[in-house]
Amino acid sequence: EVQLVESGGVVVQPGGSLRLSCAASGFTFDDYAMHWVRQAPGKGLEWVSLISWDGGSTYYADSVKGRFTISRDNSKNSLYLQMNSLRAEDTALYYCAKDIIGGYSYGGHFDYWGQGTLVTVSS
Amino acid sequence: DIQMTQSPSSVSASVGDRVTITCRASQGISSWLAWYQQKPGKAPKLLIYAASSLQSGVPSRFSGSGSGTDFTLTISSLQPEDFATYYCQQANSFPLFTFGPGTKVDIK
C-alpha cells in the first residue's frame, strides 16, 4: 500500500524558515518524480514544486521560486521542502504527491497524496 | 500560463442523479487533464487522468471526456459518498501544472 506521510508544519513568523518532510513507502520511491501541492484554508489547490526521480531536476511555481527548495533522499525514501522568507500567503496545508508516471518521464498528474501538514505564517 | 475554469461552481443534486461538471482550459491542452475528488478534511483523490482514463479502483459511474480546451466529468448515478468538491487539473504546460477552482457537489 502506497503511503505518504508529511511532517514539519508549524506556526512560523513572517520571514521565517521551515523544512517539511514526506516519508514514502509502498512503492519504489526512486522510480518516481514527486511533487508538493498546497491548499490555503478554504481555498483550491495550487501546485508548488516538482523534483525528478533522481533529484537532478527541480521546478517551482512562480509564487515560491527563489524562496522554496525541493529535495529528496532516495536512500531514506524521503521528500523535503525547504521554505524560506515565508509570507502570510504561504499559509496552507502542504501535500506531497506522487507523479503518476515512473522513470524518466513526468505525467504531471498525482495518483497518491499524503494527508498534508499545516503551515501557518503569522506574527 | 494556462488558466482553468470550471462550471458550475456548485451543484445541488440527489442520489441517483446524473451530474456533469465542465472544465475549460484557456488554451489547448490536448488530453493532459485529470479530475480529482476531495472530501472535507481529506486529501484529493485521483479519479480520471489523460482526460478519460479511469484510475484504478474508481467506480465506473465516473467518466471523463474531452480534448483540446473543453472537458467533462460525468457521474452517471450520484451516490451518497460522491458528495464532495471536484477539481480539474492540466498537465500540458510543463511544469506549470494548474488546477481549476473546483465544483462542489452537495445534497439537494
Side-chain angles (χ1 to χ4, degrees), chain B residues 79-90:
Chain B
Q79 298 302 300
E81 60 268 31
D82 300 337
F83 293 98
T85 299
Y86 293 85
Y87 295 93
C88 61
Q89 177 246 331
Q90 68 83 20

Side-chain angles (χ1 to χ4, degrees), chain A residues 17-76:
Chain A
S17 297
L18 198 56
R19 189 198 199 202
L20 305 183
S21 299
C22 172
S25 61
F27 66 103
T28 305
F29 183 68
D30 58 9
D31 268 356
Y32 291 88
M34 296 293 294
H35 304 259
W36 288 98
V37 178
R38 69 183 180 183
Q39 187 169 34
K43 303 297 184 182
L45 299 164
E46 179 187 17
W47 174 80
V48 172
S49 186
L50 157 66
I51 188 167
S52 61
W53 65 277
D54 63 348
S57 299
T58 58
Y59 306 90
Y60 301 93
D62 289 343
S63 57
V64 307
K65 198 173 296 182
R67 300 187 299 122
F68 289 11
T69 302
I70 191 172
S71 62
R72 66 191 295 161
D73 185 338
N74 287 344
S75 69
K76 295 181 178 179

Side-chain angles (χ1 to χ4, degrees), chain A residues 108-109, chain B residues 2 4 29 32-33 88-93 96-98:
Chain A
H109 298 319
Chain B
I2 296 177
M4 307 299 292
I29 59 169
W32 292 94
L33 187 100
C88 61
Q89 177 246 331
Q90 68 83 20
N92 183 73
S93 65
L96 299 180
F97 310 115
T98 48

Side-chain angles (χ1 to χ4, degrees), chain B residues 2 4 6 9 11 13-15 19 23 36 38 44 47 49-50 56 64 67 72 77 85 89 93 103 105:
Chain B
I2 296 177
M4 307 299 292
Q6 289 182 232
S9 57
V11 57
S14 300
V15 172
V19 174
C23 176
Y36 301 86
Q38 187 178 34
L47 300 176
Y49 63 96
S56 176
S67 66
T72 298
S77 177
T85 299
Q89 177 246 331
S93 65
T103 295
V105 177

